[in-house]
Amino acid sequence: MGSVCNTKVQLGAMFLALFGWVSSCVTTFVPLWKNLNLDLNELEIWTMGLWQVCIVQEEGATECKAHDSFLALPLELRVSRILMCLSNGLGLLGFLLASLGLDCWKTCEGKPDLKKWLLLAGGAAFGTSGITTLAPVSWVAYNTVLEFWDETIPNIVPRWEFGEAMFLGWFAGFFLAAGGLLLIYTTCLNRTETPAVPSAVCLQRPAMEGPAGISQWGHRSHPKAADLVI
Protein backbone atom coordinates (compact mmCIF):
# COMPACT_ATOMS: atom_id res chain seq x y z
CA MET A 1 0.00 0.00 0.00
CA GLY A 2 2.83 2.38 0.85
CA SER A 3 4.60 1.61 -2.42
CA VAL A 4 1.47 2.42 -4.45
CA CYS A 5 1.00 5.73 -2.60
CA ASN A 6 4.67 6.58 -3.11
CA THR A 7 4.37 5.92 -6.85
CA LYS A 8 1.33 8.19 -7.11
CA VAL A 9 3.17 10.99 -5.31
CA GLN A 10 6.11 10.59 -7.69
CA LEU A 11 3.86 10.77 -10.74
CA GLY A 12 2.07 13.83 -9.34
CA ALA A 13 5.42 15.53 -8.71
CA MET A 14 6.53 14.75 -12.26
CA PHE A 15 3.36 16.27 -13.73
CA LEU A 16 3.82 19.39 -11.61
CA ALA A 17 7.44 19.77 -12.64
CA LEU A 18 6.67 19.05 -16.30
CA PHE A 19 3.94 21.69 -16.36
CA GLY A 20 6.31 24.16 -14.71
CA TRP A 21 9.07 23.38 -17.20
CA VAL A 22 6.82 23.88 -20.22
CA SER A 23 5.54 27.14 -18.73
CA SER A 24 9.10 28.27 -18.09
CA CYS A 25 10.05 27.59 -21.74
CA VAL A 26 7.03 29.59 -22.92
CA THR A 27 7.95 32.43 -20.56
CA THR A 28 11.48 32.51 -21.96
CA PHE A 29 10.54 33.07 -25.58
CA VAL A 30 7.25 35.00 -25.65
CA PRO A 31 7.55 38.81 -25.92
CA LEU A 32 5.07 39.47 -23.12
CA TRP A 33 7.28 40.38 -20.18
CA LYS A 34 6.27 44.05 -20.27
CA ASN A 35 3.34 45.99 -21.73
CA LEU A 36 3.29 49.66 -22.73
CA ASN A 37 0.05 51.52 -23.42
CA LEU A 38 0.52 54.78 -25.31
CA ASP A 39 -1.97 57.49 -24.37
CA LEU A 40 -1.24 59.35 -27.61
CA ASN A 41 -2.02 56.28 -29.70
CA GLU A 42 -4.44 53.95 -27.98
CA LEU A 43 -4.68 51.72 -31.06
CA GLU A 44 -1.21 50.27 -30.41
CA ILE A 45 0.16 48.26 -27.51
CA TRP A 46 3.88 47.69 -27.17
CA THR A 47 5.09 44.45 -25.65
CA MET A 48 8.66 43.47 -24.79
CA GLY A 49 10.33 40.17 -23.99
CA LEU A 50 13.85 38.88 -23.59
CA TRP A 51 14.42 38.51 -27.33
CA GLN A 52 12.22 41.01 -29.16
CA VAL A 53 9.84 43.95 -29.01
CA CYS A 54 6.39 43.77 -30.64
CA ILE A 55 3.70 46.25 -31.59
CA VAL A 56 0.14 44.91 -31.40
CA GLN A 57 -2.39 46.98 -33.30
CA GLU A 58 -6.09 47.10 -32.59
CA GLU A 59 -7.08 45.25 -35.76
CA GLY A 60 -4.93 42.29 -34.66
CA ALA A 61 -1.79 42.85 -36.72
CA THR A 62 1.48 42.25 -34.85
CA GLU A 63 4.91 43.48 -35.87
CA CYS A 64 7.97 42.27 -33.96
CA LYS A 65 11.62 43.27 -34.03
CA ALA A 66 14.51 41.48 -32.33
CA HIS A 67 16.76 43.36 -29.97
CA ASP A 68 19.68 44.87 -31.82
CA SER A 69 22.42 43.75 -29.47
CA PHE A 70 22.72 41.63 -26.36
CA LEU A 71 25.12 44.13 -24.79
CA ALA A 72 22.72 47.01 -25.45
CA LEU A 73 20.06 45.45 -23.24
CA PRO A 74 19.58 46.51 -19.62
CA LEU A 75 21.42 44.44 -17.05
CA GLU A 76 18.31 42.67 -15.75
CA LEU A 77 17.32 41.51 -19.24
CA ARG A 78 20.81 40.20 -20.00
CA VAL A 79 20.95 38.23 -16.76
CA SER A 80 17.38 37.06 -17.25
CA ARG A 81 18.26 35.61 -20.64
CA ILE A 82 21.07 33.56 -19.16
CA LEU A 83 19.12 32.39 -16.13
CA MET A 84 16.02 31.43 -18.10
CA CYS A 85 18.05 29.38 -20.58
CA LEU A 86 19.80 27.74 -17.64
CA SER A 87 16.43 27.01 -16.06
CA ASN A 88 15.17 25.32 -19.22
CA GLY A 89 18.29 23.15 -19.42
CA LEU A 90 18.09 22.16 -15.75
CA GLY A 91 14.40 21.32 -16.13
CA LEU A 92 15.12 18.99 -19.05
CA LEU A 93 17.99 17.36 -17.15
CA GLY A 94 15.78 16.90 -14.08
CA PHE A 95 13.05 15.30 -16.19
CA LEU A 96 15.48 12.77 -17.68
CA LEU A 97 17.08 11.88 -14.34
CA ALA A 98 13.84 11.65 -12.40
CA SER A 99 12.19 9.52 -15.10
CA LEU A 100 14.87 6.87 -14.70
CA GLY A 101 14.41 6.85 -10.92
CA LEU A 102 10.63 6.42 -10.81
CA ASP A 103 9.33 3.29 -9.12
CA CYS A 104 6.91 2.58 -11.97
CA TRP A 105 9.81 2.16 -14.42
CA LYS A 106 11.69 -1.12 -14.56
CA THR A 107 15.02 0.51 -15.29
CA CYS A 108 17.75 -0.20 -12.72
CA GLU A 109 15.28 -2.41 -10.87
CA GLY A 110 18.03 -4.41 -9.21
CA LYS A 111 19.77 -1.23 -7.99
CA PRO A 112 17.47 0.58 -5.55
CA ASP A 113 20.26 2.87 -4.34
CA LEU A 114 20.94 4.05 -7.90
CA LYS A 115 17.23 4.76 -8.47
CA LYS A 116 17.12 6.72 -5.23
CA TRP A 117 20.08 8.88 -6.24
CA LEU A 118 18.62 9.46 -9.71
CA LEU A 119 15.38 10.62 -8.11
CA LEU A 120 17.27 12.88 -5.72
CA ALA A 121 19.31 14.40 -8.56
CA GLY A 122 16.17 14.95 -10.64
CA GLY A 123 14.37 16.63 -7.74
CA ALA A 124 17.37 18.88 -7.05
CA ALA A 125 17.56 19.84 -10.73
CA PHE A 126 13.85 20.71 -10.75
CA GLY A 127 14.19 22.77 -7.58
CA THR A 128 17.19 24.67 -8.96
CA SER A 129 15.30 25.23 -12.21
CA GLY A 130 12.43 26.75 -10.25
CA ILE A 131 14.76 29.12 -8.42
CA THR A 132 16.46 30.22 -11.65
CA THR A 133 13.01 30.95 -13.07
CA LEU A 134 11.72 32.92 -10.08
CA ALA A 135 14.87 35.03 -9.72
CA PRO A 136 14.91 36.80 -13.13
CA VAL A 137 11.12 37.24 -13.25
CA SER A 138 11.12 38.80 -9.79
CA TRP A 139 14.09 41.02 -10.65
CA VAL A 140 12.44 42.38 -13.81
CA ALA A 141 9.20 42.89 -11.89
CA TYR A 142 11.04 44.82 -9.16
CA ASN A 143 12.71 47.13 -11.67
CA THR A 144 9.40 47.63 -13.48
CA VAL A 145 7.77 48.76 -10.24
CA LEU A 146 10.64 51.15 -9.49
CA GLU A 147 10.45 52.70 -12.96
CA PHE A 148 6.66 52.96 -12.82
CA TRP A 149 6.72 54.96 -9.58
CA ASP A 150 9.87 56.95 -10.40
CA GLU A 151 8.98 60.59 -9.70
CA THR A 152 11.91 61.88 -11.75
CA ILE A 153 10.24 60.69 -14.96
CA PRO A 154 7.62 63.14 -16.27
CA ASN A 155 4.02 61.99 -16.13
CA ILE A 156 3.64 62.39 -19.85
CA VAL A 157 6.15 59.62 -20.48
CA PRO A 158 4.42 56.21 -20.77
CA ARG A 159 5.39 53.55 -18.24
CA TRP A 160 6.02 49.85 -18.71
CA GLU A 161 3.72 47.52 -16.80
CA PHE A 162 3.63 43.80 -16.00
CA GLY A 163 3.02 41.49 -18.93
CA GLU A 164 1.32 38.10 -18.96
CA ALA A 165 4.62 36.24 -19.22
CA MET A 166 5.76 37.47 -15.82
CA PHE A 167 2.77 35.90 -14.07
CA LEU A 168 3.29 32.72 -16.05
CA GLY A 169 6.94 32.73 -14.99
CA TRP A 170 6.00 32.96 -11.31
CA PHE A 171 3.63 30.02 -11.64
CA ALA A 172 6.28 28.06 -13.56
CA GLY A 173 8.90 28.63 -10.87
CA PHE A 174 6.56 27.56 -8.07
CA PHE A 175 5.47 24.43 -9.94
CA LEU A 176 9.07 23.45 -10.67
CA ALA A 177 10.13 23.98 -7.08
CA ALA A 178 7.10 22.10 -5.72
CA GLY A 179 7.67 19.16 -8.05
CA GLY A 180 11.34 18.97 -7.11
CA LEU A 181 10.62 19.07 -3.38
CA LEU A 182 7.99 16.33 -3.72
CA LEU A 183 10.44 14.11 -5.57
CA ILE A 184 13.04 14.61 -2.88
CA TYR A 185 10.41 13.86 -0.24
CA THR A 186 9.47 10.58 -1.91
CA THR A 187 13.05 9.36 -1.62
CA CYS A 188 12.65 9.54 2.15
CA LEU A 189 9.53 7.36 1.90
CA ASN A 190 11.13 4.95 -0.53
CA ARG A 191 12.87 2.89 2.11
CA THR A 192 12.43 -0.82 2.01
CA GLU A 193 10.72 -2.16 5.06
CA THR A 194 12.99 -4.41 7.05
CA PRO A 195 11.34 -7.59 8.32
CA ALA A 196 10.54 -7.53 11.99
CA VAL A 197 12.94 -9.50 14.17
CA PRO A 198 11.07 -12.44 15.71
CA SER A 199 10.77 -12.21 19.43
CA ALA A 200 12.90 -14.55 21.45
CA VAL A 201 11.13 -17.74 22.34
CA CYS A 202 11.76 -18.98 25.81
CA LEU A 203 12.62 -22.60 25.57
CA GLN A 204 11.67 -24.57 28.62
CA ARG A 205 14.38 -26.82 29.85
CA PRO A 206 13.49 -30.12 31.40
CA ALA A 207 13.39 -29.76 35.13
CA MET A 208 16.55 -30.96 36.74
CA GLU A 209 16.03 -32.87 39.87
CA GLY A 210 18.05 -32.16 42.90
CA PRO A 211 18.72 -34.45 45.79
CA ALA A 212 15.91 -36.35 47.45
CA GLY A 213 13.83 -36.19 44.32
CA ILE A 214 13.25 -32.43 44.54
CA SER A 215 13.51 -30.48 41.29
CA GLN A 216 15.26 -27.13 41.04
CA TRP A 217 11.89 -25.38 40.97
CA GLY A 218 11.10 -26.65 44.44
CA HIS A 219 8.53 -29.28 43.38
CA ARG A 220 8.91 -32.89 44.50
CA SER A 221 9.13 -35.23 41.58
CA HIS A 222 7.22 -38.47 41.53
CA PRO A 223 9.35 -41.58 42.00
CA LYS A 224 9.75 -43.86 39.03
CA ALA A 225 8.53 -47.42 39.13
CA ALA A 226 12.09 -48.75 38.99
CA ASP A 227 12.95 -46.91 42.20
CA LEU A 228 10.22 -48.55 44.26
CA VAL A 229 11.52 -51.21 46.65
CA ILE A 230 9.27 -54.16 47.08
Side-chain angles (χ1 to χ4, degrees), residues 7 15 31 42 53-54 87 90 97 104 110 112 133 136 156-157 170 175 180 185 192-193 223 225 228:
T7 303
F15 280 119
E42 298 180 355
V53 177
C54 296
S87 172
L90 287 174
L97 292 175
C104 57
T133 299
I156 195 174
V157 177
W170 276 318
F175 281 130
Y185 175 70
T192 56
E193 295 182 359
L228 296 177

Side-chain angles (χ1 to χ4, degrees), residues 46-227:
W46 289 58
T47 62
M48 180 171 58
L50 299 180
W51 308 93
Q52 57 187 355
V53 177
C54 296
I55 301 176
V56 182
Q57 298 179 357
E58 188 179 15
E59 58 271 13
T62 303
E63 181 181 355
C64 297
K65 178 185 178 183
H67 294 299
D68 295 331
S69 174
F70 174 77
L71 298 178
L73 292 174
L75 177 61
E76 66 271 14
L77 293 184
R78 280 181 285 167
V79 177
S80 296
R81 269 195 191 185
I82 299 173
L83 290 180
M84 292 301 294
C85 292
L86 179 62
S87 172
N88 297 338
L90 287 174
L92 179 60
L93 177 63
F95 180 76
L96 295 176
L97 292 175
S99 298
L100 296 176
L102 293 176
D103 292 341
C104 57
W105 286 90
K106 300 302 181 182
T107 54
C108 306
E109 190 174 6
K111 301 177 180 179
D113 291 338
L114 179 59
K115 290 177 71 70
K116 177 181 177 180
W117 283 110
L118 286 173
L119 209 59
L120 273 174
F126 278 135
T128 308
S129 177
I131 294 174
T132 52
T133 299
L134 292 172
V137 173
S138 301
W139 188 8
V140 173
Y142 175 73
N143 286 339
T144 303
V145 172
L146 289 183
E147 293 174 359
F148 186 85
W149 296 108
D150 191 357
E151 297 180 355
T152 60
I153 301 177
N155 295 331
I156 195 174
V157 177
R159 313 293 177 96
W160 289 100
E161 299 180 8
F162 291 168
E164 293 82 354
M166 299 190 68
F167 298 99
L168 183 62
W170 276 318
F171 281 111
F174 283 122
F175 281 130
L176 281 168
L181 290 176
L182 278 178
L183 286 176
I184 295 175
Y185 175 70
T186 55
T187 58
C188 301
L189 302 178
N190 199 16
R191 298 174 181 175
T192 56
E193 295 182 359
T194 56
V197 180
S199 58
V201 179
C202 298
L203 300 177
Q204 295 182 356
R205 297 181 181 178
M208 298 178 60
E209 296 183 357
I214 301 177
S215 65
Q216 63 176 354
W217 306 110
H219 301 287
R220 181 177 296 274
S221 61
H222 299 285
K224 298 181 180 179
D227 297 336

